């Protein structure tokens, strides 16, 4: 497959810092409406397209939040030639083997599933 071009939009200054971060584990917090979902989703997309076999995890409190804020928008945005969503595994698998997995974490016990 040739070079994949993603439509990103214009990030704000904090989002630009997040996009340029090179650390293995990255977090992005802040008030409601601060663009967290948008930037996490876009960073994960970029990483998955650019790095073969990379594994990304996007976590919210509940699965409905994941569906509304991430999964459905990505299903609308990503061509099936780039990534396909597996409902059973709750992940997008990209053409190069990279994945974006979706998980919930409403309490401390939920953390056990990510070890």
């Amino acid at each position: 497959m040739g070079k994949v071009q993603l439509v990103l939009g214009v990030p704000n200054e904090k989002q630009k810092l997040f996009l340029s971060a090179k650390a293995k584990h990255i977090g992005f917090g802040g008030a409601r409406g601060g663009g967290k979902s948008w930037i996490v989703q876009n960073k994960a997309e970029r990483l998955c397209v650019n790095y073969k076999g990379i594994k990304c995890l996007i976590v919210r409190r509940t699965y409905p939040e994941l569906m509304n804020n991430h999964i459905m928008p990505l299903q609308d945005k990503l061509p099936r030639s780039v990534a396909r969503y597996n409902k059973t595994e709750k992940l997008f698998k990209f053409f190069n083997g990279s994945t974006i997995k979706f998980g919930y974490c409403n309490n401390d016990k939920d953390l056990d599933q990510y070890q």
Side-chain angles (χ1 to χ4, degrees):
M1 173 176 267
K3 184 129 174 119
V4 176
Q5 201 65 5
L6 295 174
V7 177
L8 180 62
V10 180
N12 65 35
E13 290 306 312
K14 286 185 180 181
Q15 291 170 329
K16 286 178 187 175
L17 289 172
F18 185 79
L19 282 175
S20 65
K22 303 290 185 207
K24 183 175 181 179
H25 301 283
I26 304 166
F28 189 94
R32 185 178 187 157
K36 296 178 295 294
S37 291
W38 182 84
I39 199 61
V40 165
Q41 189 180 107
N42 279 280
K43 176 93 175 193
E45 287 175 67
R46 285 179 171 207
L47 290 170
C48 287
V49 166
N50 292 320
Y51 297 98
K52 181 180 178 182
I54 194 169
K55 296 178 181 180
C56 296
L57 173 66
I58 296 178
V59 179
R60 297 292 292 237
R61 285 190 185 132
T62 67
Y63 188 66
E65 287 178 318
L66 287 164
M67 281 300 296
N68 294 330
N69 293 314
H70 295 287
I71 296 168
M72 291 184 343
L74 281 170
Q75 285 178 313
D76 291 341
K77 181 179 181 181
L78 294 172
R80 290 181 56 84
S81 60
V82 173
R84 293 178 186 230
Y85 183 66
N86 182 313
K87 187 175 181 178
T88 303
E89 295 182 47
K90 296 180 177 59
L91 66 79
F92 277 95
K93 185 162 188 176
F94 285 71
F95 65 93
N96 60 6
S98 294
T99 60
I100 301 175
K101 177 135 179 86
F102 299 92
Y104 65 90
C105 191
N106 194 36
N107 56 56
D108 289 345
K109 186 174 175 155
D110 293 337
L111 291 171
D112 295 341
Q113 65 186 317
Y114 304 112
Q115 295 183 21

